[in-house]
Each structure stands twice: as C-alpha cells, then as structure tokens.
C-alpha cells in the first residue's frame, strides 16, 4: 500500500479481504502469506493473489523453513510446532489491516519494522511480540481497534472465522470505523458503496 488507507476505503479493504478469505476457506484453502504484495487493488475492489505457499487441507503439507513475510505471520506460524489453520489467515489479515491504516507494524515500535531496513533485532522483536504481547494499533479509531483485537486473539480457537469476522465488520459499518470527533461530511460509509 503506497499510502495509508483510512475511512470507508479501509473498511472496503477489510470487507473485500474477508469475502475472499471466506471463499478460500470454504474450499479448504489456507493462503498462509497475506501481505501487501499479495493484495491487488482493482477498479472493482481488492483481490487476494499469489497462492505460492497456500495449502489445501487434506493434501500433503509443503514444509517451509522460513516464511518470506514473517512480519505478518500468526503466532502459530512462528511457533515450531504450531498448527496452521484458516484462523491463521484471520490473524495475518488483522496485521495487514493495521499496516494499511497506519503504515506501522502492530508488533514493533520501529517505524522501519515492515521495510527492508528492519534489522535482525527488529525482526526478533516482531516475532516475540506476535507470540507473546498485545498489538499496538497506533492511531486507528476505537472501532477499528475493537474489531482488530478480535481477529488478533492469540489462540486460534478464539478468533472468528472469515464469515464471522465479516458479519462483525458489517455491524460496525454504521460507524464507518470513526470516532465521533473524526467524522467528516465528505466521508462515504459502507452503505454508499455496497
């Protein structure tokens, strides 16, 4: 994402990604590598691309010694014996949405955390915080934070499915994910583009 995405566009990104994940997960496909490079912005919305390391449940697993985008990985992807499920994609999406809305990592204090400038120390901090600490949502709105905390539950069993997360997202639609003091008369809400 070359620029920070906010307001109705952030909501559209979240909605499009959850719709895509709900479809993939209904086909028993786990993407395993959601990151900004694997999201395509089109004139009809955002699309998930690059299924190079995706996994279809029931087929033999491809073992990866290191994930290309560990900055977005779920705790179970970072743990040696963690079991990756569709709920791993939900956690990863939440991290991606924080980056889209802030251009910052929820797992590091470093502004360079999600860039090529990230040092080994910053990478270690991200891995440690992803597994053990709560996310930092920086300047996101209260409603965005509430939504993302649900997706960022450390235990996969406590995270919603993509369809459940989509319903939760829609329940916040009337608020356009903004605090009352942030409302703008020019801001379009979910209903304006649905």
């Amino acid at each position: 994402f070359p620029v920070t995405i906010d307001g109705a566009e952030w909501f559209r990104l979240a909605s499009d990604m959850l719709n895509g994940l709900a479809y993939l997960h209904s086909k028993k496909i786990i993407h395993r590598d959601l990151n900004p490079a694997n999201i395509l912005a089109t004139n009809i919305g955002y699309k998930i691309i690059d299924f190079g390391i995706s996994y279809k449940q029931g087929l033999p697993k491809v073992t990866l010694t290191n994930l290309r985008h560990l900055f977005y990985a779920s705790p179970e992807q970072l743990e040696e014996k963690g079991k990756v499920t569709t709920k791993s994609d939900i956690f990863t999406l939440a991290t991606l949405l924080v980056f889209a809305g802030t251009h910052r990592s929820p797992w590091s204090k470093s502004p360079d955390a999600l860039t090529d400038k990230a040092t080994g120390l910053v990478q270690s901090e991200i891995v440690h915080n992803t597994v053990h600490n709560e996310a930092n949502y920086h300047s996101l709105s209260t409603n965005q934070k509430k939504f993302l905390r649900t997706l960022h539950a450390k235990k996969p069993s406590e995270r919603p499915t993509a369809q459940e997360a989509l319903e939760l997202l829609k329940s916040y639609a009337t608020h356009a994910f903004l605090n009352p003091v942030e409302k703008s008369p020019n801001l379009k809400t979910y209903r304006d583009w649905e």
Side-chain angles (χ1 to χ4, degrees):
F1 307 105
V3 296
T4 301
I5 298 172
D6 58 12
E9 194 61 22
W10 187 92
F11 182 85
R12 182 178 186 177
L13 170 65
S15 179
D16 288 354
M17 292 298 93
L18 286 167
N19 274 305
L21 286 178
Y23 176 78
L24 290 174
H25 296 170
S26 75
K27 301 296 182 190
K28 300 189 184 308
I29 297 171
I30 305 168
H31 189 278
R32 299 197 313 167
D33 192 23
L34 289 176
N35 66 76
N38 291 340
I39 306 302
L40 181 65
T42 72
N43 59 354
I44 58 169
Y46 296 93
K47 305 294 179 195
I48 300 169
I49 61 172
D50 191 353
F51 294 85
I53 68 166
S54 63
Y55 166 65
K56 181 157 173 86
Q57 292 169 312
L59 295 177
K61 287 190 180 181
V62 175
T63 304
L64 299 170
T65 53
N66 80 34
L67 290 167
R68 200 174 95 216
H69 292 284
L70 67 87
F71 300 146
Y72 297 90
S74 65
E76 56 274 17
Q77 286 174 290
L78 298 171
E79 294 170 341
E80 191 174 324
K81 295 185 180 183
K83 181 180 179 190
V84 177
T85 69
T86 56
K87 301 283 187 88
S88 303
D89 283 345
I90 299 300
F91 188 97
T92 300
L93 175 62
T95 299
L96 177 114
L97 290 171
V98 174
F99 174 73
T102 65
H103 269 220
R104 302 280 307 269
S105 169
W107 311 114
S108 175
K109 294 177 184 175
S110 171
D112 295 329
L114 298 175
T115 70
D116 293 336
K117 297 176 187 175
T119 65
L121 188 60
V122 170
Q123 292 173 7
S124 295
E125 174 193 22
I126 289 171
V127 170
H128 175 80
N129 288 339
T130 299
V131 174
H132 300 289
N133 295 323
E134 295 302 314
N136 179 346
Y137 298 119
H138 308 288
S139 60
L140 294 176
S141 74
T142 301
N143 286 328
Q144 285 171 307
K145 291 174 185 177
K146 285 179 188 176
F147 174 70
L148 291 168
R149 276 189 197 102
T150 305
L151 276 59
H152 266 151
K154 296 295 183 188
K155 294 180 181 177
S157 61
E158 295 175 2
R159 293 177 211 146
T161 64
Q163 192 60 49
E164 291 166 344
L166 188 57
E167 294 306 314
L168 180 61
L169 183 72
K170 287 178 182 178
S171 75
Y172 284 111
T174 57
H175 304 293
F177 282 98
L178 296 176
N179 292 322
V181 295
E182 297 172 331
K183 285 190 179 175
S184 162
N186 299 322
L187 178 72
K188 290 183 177 182
T189 64
Y190 173 80
R191 290 179 195 354
D192 294 323
W193 54 260
E194 185 179 39

